[in-house]
Amino acid sequence: MIDAVVEHSPRITSPRSYSLIPHLGGAISRVPEDATASSHRHATCDININGVFLPDDPDPGRHIAWVRELFDALAPYADGVYVHFLGAEGPDRVRAAYGAAKYERLAALKTTWDPGNFFHRNQNVPRAWCPNSRPQIPSERGCMVDGTA
């Protein structure tokens, strides 16, 4: 992983772009994986690649390309994604951030506590659809995730 970062860093296209590699572990890793919605607690580090440029940049695509190239170079080392580092990558990446079981639990909670989808910004978890009158954990009642939320 470090080799990929070192190889791609000199190609950075904006003095405002950067990557953060926070160390994880410690207290994070001592919480059981299924205790909270946060996933990948076993990871020892994370990487956040940020392509930053001004709105009037004449060629913003070069900055985006640099981010994607580094992202692709790091793909063989990836073991998940942190939901708060996601951009507009779509619902599959949001699901991957939580994992299937947690995602289904969150969808069921959303159905109960946010049926009108008020909290729909950022990385939305759509509500679950349950044929029964009172939604519960999807695996218990056969609920389906409502992709139209």
Side-chain angles (χ1 to χ4, degrees):
M1 180 182 101
I2 297 300
D3 290 340
V5 173
V6 169
E7 179 184 335
H8 284 81
S9 291
R11 298 185 214 150
I12 200 164
T13 57
S14 168
R16 293 174 173 82
S17 295
Y18 59 96
S19 296
L20 302 173
I21 307 175
H23 177 267
L24 302 177
I28 293 171
S29 65
R30 289 192 291 271
V31 176
E33 181 69 26
D34 62 351
T36 70
S38 295
S39 294
H40 315 295
R41 293 182 170 276
H42 63 280
T44 57
C45 68
D46 198 354
I47 185 162
N48 185 354
I49 309 164
N50 295 279
V52 184
F53 50 91
L54 297 176
D56 61 349
D57 190 296
D59 186 13
R62 65 191 170 119
H63 310 301
I64 296 167
W66 175 78
V67 170
R68 288 185 177 153
E69 288 168 10
L70 179 52
F71 179 86
D72 290 345
L74 294 170
Y77 310 100
D79 187 30
V81 59
Y82 181 56
V83 71
H84 299 294
F85 287 171
L86 292 176
E89 297 162 61
D92 290 341
R93 291 279 287 163
V94 175
R95 181 183 281 275
Y98 292 113
K102 289 181 188 182
Y103 189 89
E104 290 177 7
R105 284 176 45 204
L106 289 168
L109 288 168
K110 175 98 174 213
T111 303
T112 300
W113 296 102
D114 186 19
N117 202 27
F118 179 81
F119 297 104
H120 64 278
R121 302 280 188 224
N122 299 325
Q123 307 307 331
N124 190 33
V125 173
R127 40 189 195 273
W129 172 82
C130 295
N132 303 304
S133 59
R134 186 170 182 273
Q136 294 185 358
I137 303 299
S139 60
E140 294 176 2
R141 305 276 299 265
C143 299
M144 303 292 290
V145 173
D146 174 11
T148 62

